[in-house]
């Protein structure tokens, strides 16, 4: 726009200025003057008059000119949208001189542009034509071949004129503002028509008309391709393109694309893939065959694939429809990549030797679908179809599959399988694939006939029967522990021979009936009534057992019927029985009182006496017992190749002539020797290093006195020849080939791979093993792995294996790392141990039956690396068996429930059986008896819960020789019996007394369990009171006394500790019904039992740990720690709690390795116990389960704390909280306002309230000796984070008050959160006038860090300070270890004062834009004598944030 002109810019509606009217000319007033003035008279003389007289002057003045515009233009302007291609123009000028500057603007409908868009005319150029070029405006919309527009011409002027400033009077000029006349050239309208030629064409562009895709042999997509689509013009409405292919191999990633006016030009890409439909994979279905030789990878459908993608429009834009537009098709060229290998094919399917599974092999390695570990077989097998059986149970309930290798799948049968040889095993389609990285084909339509085993298992009959029975007793023959069934019922056939053939008839008849049951397959257990057995009859029973393959075996046992009543006694397990020198022998006698129903006499009491003897005289060791029924002979006591006979004599204590005996022959079999080479299964060594091979770790488990002999040899694994040294001669092993230690000097071997073998011999036993040595150039680190102590390891929870490695170098070792080689298992090592020389493997991450290779790699400062490997064989647990409990229901105290565990299979015999139960369907398990050789057991069970319909769940846990185990469950219902108060107390006492007199502590614990469960009334939510609190307290006291007595005749085993802890938990589960003395005794008993568990080196199970936690929680709520009953015994009990928890930690960590942690989480006790090597202790945190409590040790803690141990010594850490979060539960028992923390240690005289659980932190050695940790550097303390019981006030703003003191003695009240605080003003602290500002900080509740001082018997705080805290957590920095707790204290009030500075002689500076700083507690200096120009104002009542003037 013009800017030099003084007038305003033209507007669309210019202002119309007033035009002054001319005055009337003198002398002729009636005439209007001309618009131009009359010219002045000339000074020149007039010319000679013309002969023609002049005309008379006109009576009218000269007329004013009219506005006009001259436009030279064509009829039509034709222009193009395409820039510069076609333009037009016109010229424009004014026909009359304007009053003022005239602006002419050109406008169109928006499709035409004028250049310039406006022109300007002045009185100097008004009649000079100006040229305007007309062009089309390019858009993106298709509007057809051409469309119309027009140009409008608009005039704007101020139309102002000042007389005397122009050549003529203003009236002689023309106004143009708003001119709307016509074209002076032709009299037509000034609007000019324009034809615009459109250069846009609606359409679709594709970036390519063909794409290339690939797919694999199976039909899955491999390589994808893409093409782009965009529109060629902007649509008026959205345009959607639908995509479709004409084949069944190719697909687009989207079914359509949509373009809008905003994104029409943006290319949208379509991804194209090619694959076969799911139902058509593999593509070449006609080639599917079970025979690899006939399998065809290629077929017509795979070759020459060409598909086409077509497009269809959907839009309201008329230019974007299928009728008005079209899109190029995109051709798809699909190429198949054929597998380099055929899919896996079934090679064999064969029953295992134990008949409890099928081993399936493939012709090549597979991807092992189902993954590591055991998984449901439905993942890989079609379980709905077999040749001879229908249904999914043909492999048994609970069957599992596992990959033993990449080409070997094991199917382990569950309970009750029906599959037999010649059945057909079907593979699941589309699951098993080759492990080749480029394989795509899956095994399809494959099945195979299951073959019988190469060498089927033959049944082993195990009799459990007495050698003699009393005159009134029935005879039970129990062969339920027989083996060789393959996990299914065997056929049993009993026969008998008698000393009196005529007397045998009735016995034979009973056996014949037993042989007919179960469809003629018989039964393993037969009971012969006493009435059919004659006095003095000697019977030889023969049992023949056969499995489903027809393999059979027989065994006999002899029984004599005595002529008088006698105790029943039988030793569990077979007779003869096998054991070894290196294992403990456990003989358990089942005994019961004689029946007296057929004689006139009766028993005076139930007490029996047990005496164990060894009859051959070869065993001279101890025969003493704790449980009189169980004889335990420690390992390494019975010599290999010897036979012993142990006898159990059982008599009535009141009449020892009334007795019976049972004996068993124990054969101690000789065990094979095992050759071992230290260092690893495979290792690397260097050409510049001496190679040392050590077979000194070879094992003779029988520890025979004969000398070892060794023979070493070496083979070059590259060519299989005898090893040669660098001279070309045969490699000489030094000092010779018959030493345990073999040495190859440095420089004797070229680089290569060598296998060194050693043949070891001791007496007539021998073994061979080998190690592979890879020789590399130079002198890499020497990496070695210690030999393993076991042949097999169990993949069960909480089981670990320590791999002891070492690495040395002439430099320094900078890193070590453990890895697992050759399988896909992950997470095998506990966190951190995989980066140490000694690694700890979590065995439950591994798969049963698989052999794993672990590698230790070390690197040194020279950049050299080396390695060693070790093989670990994983054991398989017993399988295919089950549990049954009979009867299906019964009554507490009245019904004996029979547990029967049968048909279990394992190669590592003998099996042992443990029976446990839980009330309801899930929860903590309570043993009914320790593990035993018998597969059956009769037990008294507690009543169930009413909400579970009185259901109890029983479980059998079956262990093999290596203690790997499996389990099975069954349920029964135990209904309550309504006993009176006296009846419940009396029946419990009578039954436990009888059990203890019979020497049966397990039965005693069963009765106690039933008793304390009866106190709960069959409900988990509400107790049914059977008696008054005092009577119940008395009963609980009696139960504790009985438990302590039972303990004296119980072996210390894991199961017995679990059972006793379960009983203790039940006794103390109502803290308000415990006397203080009973509570104290219960705590002492728990402490004693845990200490014995540690001393006996059995540790404690997870189940037992749980019972300890809950029992101690109940005891913390008892009157033993009630603040109102604090006595001198209270601190002793508190110390006993600490000792008990310490023993619990030691029991948990028994046998643990570095890096292993165990926890306890119960209502009031949370504990974390961990073991670590001293050198790695520190720099990390130990958290607490169920809370925010954690302890952080400083780096290199072992040295900082001056622990008297070496770097690789185990150090145990224990962090325990005695949780006060359950205070509300405590209040329901005791209306006391004290927390457990204050209760445990009595009343605290320190002025504080306790506000957290007590947190105990200890560091100790493996034997429980606690290290005295103190005097740590305050700059590197131990950080203990504790959780506050009550929220901590962190709203500090509420503590701040701002006031003003005006006069001396003024008292100001502060409304503080903890109550009103007062402040007395002191004018001497103020400014000139004595006034000042007051910042007051109220007292507040703040946390304190406290610790228990044994010496002072009090909570102390020196040496622990608060680092930071939130409303819930407080972190304390402490320089020692002990028991910690949070306290609550009240901070002192604080006062800060300030006032305006004294006046100075200089003027006050301008105020700062920022507020003044907070006042300080230090008063300002006295005022000077020089006054300021203007005094400052008095301080306001409340300090303002703005500066004073």
């Amino acid at each position: 726009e013009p800017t030099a002109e003084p007038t305003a810019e033209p507007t669309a509606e210019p202002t119309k200025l007033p035009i002054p009217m001319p005055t009337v000319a003198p002398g002729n007033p009636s005439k209007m003057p001309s618009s131009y003035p009359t010219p002045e008279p000339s000074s020149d003389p007039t010319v000679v008059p013309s002969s023609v007289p002049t005309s008379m002057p006109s009576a009218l003045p000269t007329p004013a000119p009219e506005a006009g515009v001259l436009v030279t233009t064509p009829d039509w302007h034709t222009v193009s949208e395409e820039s510069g291609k076609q333009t037009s123009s016109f010229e424009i000028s004014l026909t009359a001189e304007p009053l003022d500057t005239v602006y002419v603007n050109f406008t169109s409908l928006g499709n035409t542009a004028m250049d310039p868009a406006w022109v300007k005319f002045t009185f100097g150029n008004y009649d000079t034509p100006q040229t305007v070029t007309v062009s089309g405006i390019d858009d993106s919309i298709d509007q057809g071949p051409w469309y119309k527009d027009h140009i409008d011409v608009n005039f704007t002027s101020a139309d102002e004129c000042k007389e005397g400033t122009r050549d003529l009077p203003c009236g002689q000029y023309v106004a143009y503002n708003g001119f709307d006349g016509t074209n002076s050239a032709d009299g037509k309208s000034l609007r000019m028509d324009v034809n615009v030629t459109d250069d846009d064409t609606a359409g679709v562009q594709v970036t390519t008309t063909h794409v290339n895709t690939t797919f694999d042999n199976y039909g899955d997509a491999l390589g994808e391709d893409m093409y782009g689509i965009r529109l060629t013009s902007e649509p008026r409405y959205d345009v959607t393109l639908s995509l479709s292919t004409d084949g069944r191999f190719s697909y687009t990633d989207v079914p359509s694309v949509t373009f809008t006016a905003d994104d029409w030009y943006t290319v949208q890409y379509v991804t194209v893939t090619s694959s076969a439909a799911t139902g058509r994979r593999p593509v070449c279905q006609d080639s599917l065959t079970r025979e690899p030789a006939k399998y065809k990878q290629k077929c017509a459908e795979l070759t020459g694939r060409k598909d086409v993608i077509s497009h269809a429009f959907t839009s309201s834009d008329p230019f974007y429809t299928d009728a008005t537009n079209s899109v190029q098709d995109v051709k798809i060229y699909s190429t198949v990549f054929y597998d380099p290998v055929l899919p896996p094919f079934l090679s064999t399917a064969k029953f295992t030797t134990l008949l409890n599974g099928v081993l399936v092999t493939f012709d090549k390695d597979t991807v092992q679908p189902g993954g590591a570990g055991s998984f449901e077989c439905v993942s890989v097998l079609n379980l709905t179809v077999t040749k001879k059986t229908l249904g999914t149970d043909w492999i048994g309930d609970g069957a599992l599959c596992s990959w033993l290798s990449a080409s070997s799948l094991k199917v382990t049968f569950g309970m009750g399988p029906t599959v037999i040889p010649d059945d057909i095993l079907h593979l699941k389609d589309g699951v098993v694939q080759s492990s080749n990285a480029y394989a795509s084909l899956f095994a399809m339509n494959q099945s195979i006939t299951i073959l019988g085993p190469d060498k089927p298992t033959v049944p082993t009959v195990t009799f459990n029967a007495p050698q003699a029975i009393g005159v009134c007793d029935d005879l039970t023959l129990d062969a339920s522990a027989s083996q060789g069934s393959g996990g299914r019922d065997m056929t049993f056939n009993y026969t008998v021979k008698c000393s009196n053939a005529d007397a045998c008839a009735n016995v034979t008849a009973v056996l014949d009936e037993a042989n007919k049951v179960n469809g003629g397959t018989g039964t393993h257990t037969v009971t012969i009534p006493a009435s059919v057995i004659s006095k003095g009859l000697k019977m030889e029973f023969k049992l023949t057992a056969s499995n489903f393959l027809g393999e059979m075996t027989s065994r006999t046992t002899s029984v004599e019927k005595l002529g008088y009543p006698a105790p029943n006694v039988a030793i569990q397990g077979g007779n003869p029985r096998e054991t070894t020198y290196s294992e403990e022998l456990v003989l358990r006698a089942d005994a019961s009182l004689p029946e007296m129903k057929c004689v006139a006499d009766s028993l005076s009491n139930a007490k029996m006496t047990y005496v164990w003897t060894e009859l051959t005289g070869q065993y001279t060791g101890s025969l003493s017992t704790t449980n009189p029924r169980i004889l335990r002979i420690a390992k390494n006591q019975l010599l290999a190749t010897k036979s012993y006979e142990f006898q159990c004599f059982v008599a009535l204590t009141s009449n020892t002539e009334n007795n019976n005996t049972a004996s068993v022959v124990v054969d101690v079999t000789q065990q094979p020797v095992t050759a071992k080479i230290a260092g690893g299964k495979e290792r690397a060594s260097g050409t510049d290093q001496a190679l040392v091979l050590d077979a000194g770790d070879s094992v003779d488990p029988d520890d025979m006195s004969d000398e070892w002999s060794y023979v070493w040899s070496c083979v070059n694994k590259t060519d299989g020849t005898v090893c040669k040294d660098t001279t070309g001669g045969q490699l000489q092993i030094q000092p010779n080939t018959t030493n345990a230690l073999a040495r190859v000097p440095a420089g004797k071997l070229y680089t290569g791979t060598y296998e060194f073998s050693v043949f070891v011999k001791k007496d007539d036993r021998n073994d061979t093993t080998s190690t592979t040595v890879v020789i590399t150039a130079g002198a890499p680190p020497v990496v070695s792995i210690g030999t393993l102590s076991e042949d097999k390891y169990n993949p069960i929870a909480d089981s670990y294996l320590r791999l002891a490695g070492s690495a040395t170098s002439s430099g320094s070792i900078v890193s070590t790392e453990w890895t697992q080689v050759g399988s896909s298992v992950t997470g095998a090592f506990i966190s951190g141990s995989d980066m140490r020389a000694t690694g700890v493997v979590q065995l439950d991450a591994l798969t049963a039956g698989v052999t794993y290779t672990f590698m230790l790699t070390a690197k040194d400062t020279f950049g050299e690396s080396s390695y060693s490997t070790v093989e670990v064989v994983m054991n398989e647990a017993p399988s295919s068996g089950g549990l049954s409990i009979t009867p299906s229901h019964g009554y507490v105290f009245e019904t004996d429930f029979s547990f029967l565990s049968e048909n279990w299979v394992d190669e590592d015999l003998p099996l042992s059986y443990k029976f446990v139960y839980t009330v309801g369907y899930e929860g903590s398990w309570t043993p009914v008896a320790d593990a035993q050789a018998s597969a059956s057991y009769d037990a008294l069970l507690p009543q169930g819960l009413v909400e579970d319909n009185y259901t109890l769940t029983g479980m059998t846990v079956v262990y093999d020789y290596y203690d790997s185990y499996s389990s099975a469950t069954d349920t029964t219902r135990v209904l309550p019996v309504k006993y009176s108060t006296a009846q419940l107390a009396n029946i419990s006492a009578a039954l436990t007394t009888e059990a203890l007199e019979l020497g049966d502590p397990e039965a005693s614990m069963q009765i106690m369990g039933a008793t304390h469960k009866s106190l709960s009334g069959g409900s988990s939510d509400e107790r049914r009171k059977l008696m008054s609190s005092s009577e119940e307290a008395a009963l609980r006291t009696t139960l504790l006394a009985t438990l302590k007595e039972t303990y004296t005749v119980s072996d210390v085993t894991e199961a017995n500790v679990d059972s006793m802890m379960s009983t203790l938990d039940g006794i103390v589960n109502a803290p308000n019904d415990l006397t203080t003395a009973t509570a104290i005794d219960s705590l002492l008993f728990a402490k004693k039992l845990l200490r014995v568990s540690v001393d006996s080196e059995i540790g404690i199970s997870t189940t037992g740990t749980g019972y300890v936690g809950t029992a101690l929680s109940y005891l913390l709520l008892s009157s033993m720690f009630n603040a109102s009953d604090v006595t001198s015994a209270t601190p002793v009990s508190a110390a006993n709690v600490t000792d008990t928890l310490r023993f619990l930690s030691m029991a948990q960590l028994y046998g643990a390795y570095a890096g292993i942690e165990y926890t306890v989480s119960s209502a009031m006790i949370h504990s974390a116990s961990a073991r670590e090597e001293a050198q790695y202790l520190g720099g990390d945190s130990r958290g607490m389960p169920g809370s925010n409590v954690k302890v952080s040790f400083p780096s290199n803690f072992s040295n900082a704390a001056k622990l008297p141990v070496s770097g690789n010594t185990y150090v145990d850490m224990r962090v325990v909280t005695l949780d006060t979060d359950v205070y509300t539960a405590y209040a329901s028992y005791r209306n006391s306002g004290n927390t457990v923390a204050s209760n445990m240690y009595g009343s605290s005289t320190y002025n504080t309230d306790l506000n957290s659980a007590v947190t105990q932190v200890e560091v100790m050695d493996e034997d429980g000796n606690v290290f005295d940790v103190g005097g740590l550097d305050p700059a590197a303390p131990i950080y203990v984070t504790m959780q506050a019981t009550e929220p901590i006030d962190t709203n500090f703003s509420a503590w701040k008050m701002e006031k003003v003191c005006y006069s001396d003695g003024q008292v100001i009240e502060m409304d503080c959160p903890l109550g009103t605080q007062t402040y007395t003003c002191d004018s001497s602290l103020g400014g000139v006038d004595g006034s000042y500002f007051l910042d007051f900080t109220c007292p507040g509740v703040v946390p304190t860090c406290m610790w228990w001082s044994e010496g002072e018997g009090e909570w102390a705080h020196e040496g622990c300070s608060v680092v930071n805290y939130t409303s819930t957590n407080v972190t304390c920095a402490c320089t020692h270890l002990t028991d910690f707790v949070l306290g609550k204290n009240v901070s002192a009030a604080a006062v800060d004062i300030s006032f305006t500075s004294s006046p100075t002689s200089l003027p006050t500076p301008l105020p700062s834009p920022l507020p003044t700083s907070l006042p300080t507690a230090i008063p300002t200096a006295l005022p000077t004598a020089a006054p300021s120009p203007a005094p400052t104002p008095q301080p306001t009542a409340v300090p303002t944030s703005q500066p004073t003037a």
Side-chain angles (χ1 to χ4, degrees), residues 889-1142:
H889 70 276
Y891 295 89
V892 65
F893 295 116
E894 297 180 2
T895 305
D896 283 334
F897 291 87
S898 296
F899 289 68
L900 176 61
S901 182
E902 57 184 338
N903 295 330
W904 292 91
V905 180
D906 196 274
E907 67 179 352
D908 300 313
L909 303 177
L911 300 182
S912 57
Y913 306 84
K914 184 171 73 174
F915 301 99
V916 298
Y917 71 87
T918 187
V919 176
Y921 295 96
E922 58 184 4
S924 298
W925 297 97
T926 299
V928 296
D930 202 355
Q932 57 182 30
S934 175
S936 61
Y937 189 86
D938 293 343
L940 188 149
L941 298 176
Q943 70 181 68
L945 299 176
V946 63
E947 56 261 41
D948 293 325
N949 197 23
Y950 301 106
T951 298
L952 265 74
T953 301
M955 180 167 68
T956 179
V957 185
V958 184
Y959 300 87
D960 68 6
Y961 175 82
Y962 292 98
D963 286 333
S964 187
Y965 61 83
S966 294
S967 62
T969 61
D970 193 18
T971 59
T972 189
R973 296 173 60 232
V974 185
L975 284 69
V977 176
K978 293 184 178 180
Y979 293 112
S980 67
T981 299
Q983 286 174 325
L984 180 63
N986 290 338
I987 195 170
S988 176
L991 290 175
T992 52
T993 298
E994 179 179 336
L996 292 173
E997 287 182 343
L998 289 173
D1000 193 351
E1002 293 162 331
S1004 176
M1005 283 185 281
Q1006 295 166 26
I1007 297 159
M1008 286 186 284
T1011 303
H1012 70 70
K1013 287 289 195 303
S1014 294
L1015 291 175
S1016 300
S1019 172
S1020 62
D1021 299 323
E1022 183 177 350
R1023 298 187 60 224
R1024 176 175 63 86
K1025 297 289 290 184
L1026 295 178
M1027 55 192 71
S1028 68
S1029 181
S1030 61
E1031 289 175 319
E1032 183 170 325
L1035 178 54
R1036 292 180 184 273
T1037 300
T1038 299
L1039 288 174
L1040 179 62
T1042 304
L1043 177 60
K1044 292 164 69 176
E1045 184 180 359
T1046 302
Y1047 162 78
T1048 62
V1049 291
S1050 297
D1051 291 333
V1052 181
T1053 65
E1054 182 182 278
N1056 285 341
V1057 170
D1058 287 353
S1059 184
M1060 285 185 275
M1061 284 299 184
S1062 171
T1063 303
L1064 179 66
D1065 177 44
I1067 292 171
V1068 302
N1069 67 3
N1072 60 326
D1073 291 328
L1074 292 176
T1075 66
T1076 301
T1078 301
I1080 292 173
D1081 275 355
S1082 297
L1083 177 59
L1084 290 173
F1085 180 75
K1087 173 182 171 181
K1088 178 180 181 179
L1089 190 55
L1090 288 169
R1091 184 182 65 235
V1092 171
S1093 298
V1094 172
D1095 293 342
S1096 301
E1097 299 182 350
I1098 64 166
I1100 191 168
S1101 70
T1102 302
T1103 297
T1105 297
Y1107 285 130
V1108 174
T1110 54
L1112 289 180
S1113 289
Y1114 289 130
L1115 290 173
L1116 288 175
L1117 297 171
S1118 70
S1119 59
M1120 175 170 48
F1121 296 119
N1122 186 1
S1124 62
D1125 296 331
V1126 170
T1127 67
S1128 58
T1130 303
V1132 176
S1133 295
N1136 284 330
V1137 169
T1138 299
D1139 290 343
T1140 303
L1141 291 170
R1142 186 178 298 136

Side-chain angles (χ1 to χ4, degrees), residues 287-308:
S287 66
L288 296 182
T289 175
R290 298 184 181 94
E291 302 178 41
K294 297 181 179 180
Y295 189 91
K296 296 180 180 179
Q297 290 181 259
K298 299 181 180 181
C299 60
E301 289 186 285
L302 283 176
T303 58
R305 294 299 313 175
K306 292 182 181 179
D307 294 332
V308 175

Side-chain angles (χ1 to χ4, degrees), residues 81 312 367 382 435 438 573 819 946 977 1087:
E81 283 187 358
V367 294
N382 184 341
S435 62
Y438 300 101
T819 53
V946 63
V977 176
K1087 173 182 171 181

Side-chain angles (χ1 to χ4, degrees), residues 1142-1158:
R1142 186 178 298 136
F1143 284 126
L1144 174 60
S1145 176
M1146 294 171 64
Q1148 287 182 290
L1149 292 173
Y1150 171 73
Y1153 302 122
I1156 296 175
E1157 182 176 23
Y1158 294 99

Side-chain angles (χ1 to χ4, degrees), residues 15-21 99 158-161:
T15 305
K16 295 182 179 180
L17 300 175
I19 301 175
M21 297 298 292
L99 276 170
D159 287 347
E160 294 180 350
C161 180

